[in-house]
Amino acid sequence: MSDHYDVIVIGAGPAGSMAAWHASLGGAKVLVLEKDRDIGLPVRCAEGVGAAGLQSLIEADPRWIANKIEGINLISPHGKRVHLANEDFGYVLNRKLFDNFLAEKASKAGAEILTKAYAEELLFDEKGDVNGVVFSRFGKRLSLRAKIVMGADGVESRVGRWAGIRTQLKLRDIETCVQFTMANVDVTPSDCDFYFSHERAPGGYIWVFPKGDGIANVGLGISGEYAQYQSPLRYLEDFVQEHFPKASVLTTTVGGVPVAPTNKQIVKNGFMLIGDAAHQANPISGGGIVPAMVAGKLAGQVAAEAVQTGDVSAAFLKKYERQWYKSEGNTHKITYRLKEAVYKLTDDDLNKTADSILSLPEGKRTIVAVFKKALYNKPSLILDALKVFKMSISEVFDPLS
Ligand SMILES: Cc1cc2nc3c(=O)[nH]c(=O)nc-3n(C[C@H](O)[C@H](O)[C@H](O)COP(=O)(O)OP(=O)(O)OC[C@H]3O[C@@H](n4cnc5c(N)ncnc54)[C@H](O)[C@@H]3O)c2cc1C
């Protein structure tokens, strides 16, 4: 370990490792601090990713793919299934191995990675700009200086606040999730199932993502607004009892997902915020792996350039912000509006939507058609949906991205 780095990244999730990887490729001297003992553990994720998004960033590798997904089922409150087939929908990952793989990429490109390294505070220069990190490791407290510090510390991020950025989310913009990884789950192995019901998962949905061999991630997210009245665990237990009474729970995980537009501020002099910490998950699906990777890549590239040019000011680092909005952030603003409308639908509305989709010939049942039917009395949102779908159908309401 040296005592001065070009870039220190806090957090080795997909955002942090991608940033470290790409900053290193750009020639920067990079250190990653990860508080946990193992990169990728604990897994707090349903592990689903859309193929198109993933493959735009990295080649899919059988070492970390648990299962290939070739169809999704959108299931209404009254149990009707709208099946959408696409042999390249996506994958269910093995997140532990996937996160490890990205960290390995960063390491091979030259980044140093420290696990069990818990960032505790930031250091500032005389002008008040971030210029280092204090962290603890094996009982020692250490301080290191850096030209740029990146907060990639996930949904519970504190690093952004330490840097003086407001990152608080409204309750309704946090999806409160609970998930069981279960054995002996009887589902179609190549399909992901999504159950929509205001009664059973208010302000969210229930997912069943098969990992192969009868193993599946079965979970739900509900809007934080409703989680105060009944815990998500109660909703999940009811669902599992009804649908998979013979399955066993192997692992239970809980966690939050930011389902908001990108945080207003994501850069300061010498500082960048990325991934869940910057609220960059897809607001409608809650999928945050690919967006975190996109943001990490962009931030890493811009950080390397900033170091090279000797300008780490917010004005320069805003290049990352602009590229993020162009790539995903602007779409997220629209999907956030769509989410607000979709999650207000009553179970009756959802049943009617499913019935009218099922009345279409099979070839016409598409995500666009689902949105058109669901939002038929909100024409401005249909236009929004169409605008977004035209930009990238696979990433907007591909519930795996
Ligand atoms: C139940 C659940 C299911 C989900 N399912 C999906 C899904 O199927 N598909 C999908 O795309 N997304 C899913 N998500 C969202 C996805 O997991 C996140 O969006 C994604 O992991 C964000 O990546 P990140 O790198 O920003 O943050 P994270 O992956 O959370 O990584 C942050 C890292 O920072 C570390 N850290 C935190 N604080 C410190 C500190 N002080 N010092 C050092 N290190 C620190 C953490 O230990 C962690 O390793 C799900 C989330 C939940 C909770």
Side-chain angles (χ1 to χ4, degrees):
M1 194 182 0
S2 134
D3 62 358
H4 197 290
Y5 288 86
D6 291 331
V7 180
I8 295 182
V9 181
I10 301 173
S17 288
M18 285 294 279
W21 176 17
H22 286 275
S24 301
L25 286 179
K29 183 173 153 86
V30 180
L31 175 72
V32 181
L33 302 175
E34 169 52 53
K35 72 174 167 59
D36 284 330
R37 194 185 62 182
D38 295 298
I39 287 173
L41 286 181
V43 174
R44 289 196 298 175
C45 186
E47 307 175 286
V49 285
L54 183 78
Q55 279 161 5
S56 68
L57 294 156
I58 191 169
E59 206 179 309
D61 188 321
R63 279 177 292 174
W64 37 258
I65 289 176
N67 194 17
K68 186 164 187 283
I69 298 304
E70 297 178 350
I72 60 171
N73 298 306
L74 307 176
I75 301 154
S76 66
H78 62 344
K80 299 258 178 87
R81 286 175 172 254
V82 175
H83 177 75
L84 305 175
N86 174 345
E87 63 178 35
D88 282 323
F89 246 125
Y91 305 101
V92 181
L93 304 175
N94 180 327
R95 252 313 279 273
K96 178 191 165 356
L97 298 181
F98 180 72
D99 283 22
N100 262 276
F101 181 85
L102 293 182
E104 238 176 83
K105 286 275 187 197
S107 171
K108 282 182 184 152
E112 286 174 56
I113 301 173
L114 295 180
T115 52
K116 285 207 64 91
Y118 194 105
E120 292 187 342
E121 57 181 294
L122 297 177
L123 295 168
F124 298 87
D125 66 14
E126 63 290 348
K127 289 185 285 166
D129 295 338
V130 177
N131 75 349
V133 181
V134 178
F135 66 100
S136 60
R137 191 161 188 254
F138 301 126
K140 279 195 190 144
R141 223 171 120 81
L142 302 147
S143 299
L144 293 176
R145 300 283 167 180
K147 291 173 187 152
I148 296 174
V149 174
M150 290 191 190
D153 54 331
V155 65
E156 285 143 21
S157 175
R158 291 184 303 153
V159 177
R161 289 206 295 282
W162 295 340
I165 294 179
R166 281 180 64 98
T167 54
Q168 287 88 340
L169 280 164
K170 290 184 232 147
L171 257 187
R172 61 199 280 202
D173 289 341
I174 306 171
E175 207 68 6
T176 313
C177 306
V178 57
Q179 175 180 276
F180 299 147
T181 298
M182 304 189 80
N184 198 21
V185 179
D186 185 16
V187 283
T188 308
S190 56
D191 285 2
C192 281
D193 292 343
F194 297 84
Y195 292 78
F196 294 90
S197 162
H198 192 76
E199 299 258 301
R200 287 157 184 226
Y205 61 84
I206 299 167
W207 64 79
V208 181
F209 289 4
K211 294 189 76 172
D213 284 337
I215 308 281
N217 290 329
V218 182
L220 64 76
I222 62 174
S223 157
E225 227 171 15
Y226 296 99
Q228 53 189 324
Y229 304 116
Q230 179 173 311
S231 94
L233 182 63
R234 284 270 307 280
Y235 286 104
L236 184 59
E237 283 170 340
D238 289 347
F239 174 80
V240 163
Q241 185 56 37
E242 186 183 338
H243 292 265
F244 306 117
K246 295 198 178 128
S248 308
V249 176
L250 305 180
T251 316
T252 303
T253 188
V254 292
V257 181
V259 282
T262 306
N263 201 60
K264 276 211 174 79
Q265 189 179 13
I266 57 174
V267 297
K268 287 191 89 167
N269 291 337
F271 184 78
M272 302 165 101
L273 208 50
I274 48 176
D276 276 10
H279 312 160
Q280 287 169 323
N282 181 327
I284 198 161
S285 69
I289 301 170
V290 168
M293 291 172 72
V294 170
K297 180 176 176 182
L298 296 174
Q301 288 170 337
V302 171
E305 257 183 72
V307 167
Q308 235 166 40
T309 56
D311 182 359
V312 298
S313 67
F316 190 96
L317 300 182
K318 265 184 179 274
K319 185 170 178 186
Y320 148 61
E321 187 174 308
R322 285 192 298 276
Q323 289 180 349
W324 161 255
Y325 276 100
K326 205 167 157 202
S327 156
E328 310 272 321
N330 286 329
T331 308
H332 285 190
K333 283 187 200 165
I334 302 176
T335 47
Y336 179 73
R337 288 204 295 270
L338 295 176
K339 173 201 92 162
E340 296 272 281
V342 167
Y343 289 136
K344 270 191 203 136
L345 297 176
T346 64
D347 281 5
D348 197 34
D349 294 332
L350 290 166
N351 288 336
K352 282 185 190 141
T353 304
D355 287 337
S356 51
I357 291 290
L358 288 170
S359 68
L360 294 173
E362 219 171 304
K364 297 216 159 150
R365 294 178 201 162
T366 60
I367 288 285
V368 178
V370 171
F371 268 85
K372 273 188 175 168
K373 296 285 181 193
L375 301 171
Y376 77 100
N377 57 355
K378 298 195 172 61
S380 64
L381 285 177
I382 293 178
L383 287 180
D384 271 350
L386 287 174
K387 203 180 336 168
V388 168
F389 293 132
K390 224 169 121 197
M391 284 157 70
S392 166
I393 187 156
S394 63
E395 289 185 9
V396 177
F397 193 76
D398 170 353
L400 292 180
S401 91

